[in-house]
Amino acid sequence: MSSETPLFESVINWIRKGYPQGVSRTDFPPLMALLTRVLTDEQVTAVAMQLVKEYGPREPVSEQQIHDAIKRVTSAPPTPEEVNQVAGRLAAVGWPLLPSRP
């Protein structure tokens, strides 16, 4: 990731490039699982909030609803193949395949 671009903006930009029409329902769980490997829970929530603002439902969604949805999605982890598929899609637009956060 570029030291000139804040992490949040970098992640959002990679997702925009990898998913120009928005993240599909089937790719959302592995995307959240991938993000939790490199971002804090708060950062993942902030990314999800931004994606909802840009691509989400027309009805307002609260940060707590996003947080709860992320917890539901990540409580049943996606398969390694699903995560690799999403990681590959993001890697094609510059996502650095970083190791899991400590």
Side-chain angles (χ1 to χ4, degrees):
M1 283 182 247
S2 168
S3 60
E4 299 169 334
T5 305
L7 178 61
F8 177 82
E9 289 180 33
S10 295
V11 170
I12 291 295
N13 287 334
W14 286 313
I15 294 170
R16 284 180 187 140
K17 289 178 187 174
Y19 294 92
Q21 304 302 319
V23 180
S24 68
R25 289 180 186 255
T26 57
D27 280 5
F28 186 74
L31 175 62
M32 292 299 104
L34 181 64
L35 293 179
T36 60
R37 292 180 177 184
V38 295
L39 301 175
T40 66
D41 289 346
E42 293 80 19
Q43 291 169 322
V44 173
T45 300
V47 168
M49 287 294 292
Q50 183 64 35
L51 294 175
V52 165
K53 286 179 188 173
E54 292 182 27
Y55 305 108
R58 300 196 189 284
E59 302 167 11
V61 178
S62 72
E63 186 172 328
Q64 185 61 47
Q65 287 172 307
I66 293 291
H67 182 71
D68 293 346
I70 291 169
K71 289 296 179 192
R72 279 193 308 275
V73 165
T74 58
S75 68
T79 67
E81 293 79 19
E82 291 170 325
V83 173
N84 288 337
Q85 177 182 335
V86 170
R89 184 173 186 154
L90 293 177
V93 295
W95 177 266
L97 299 176
L98 298 173
S100 297
R101 65 182 165 118

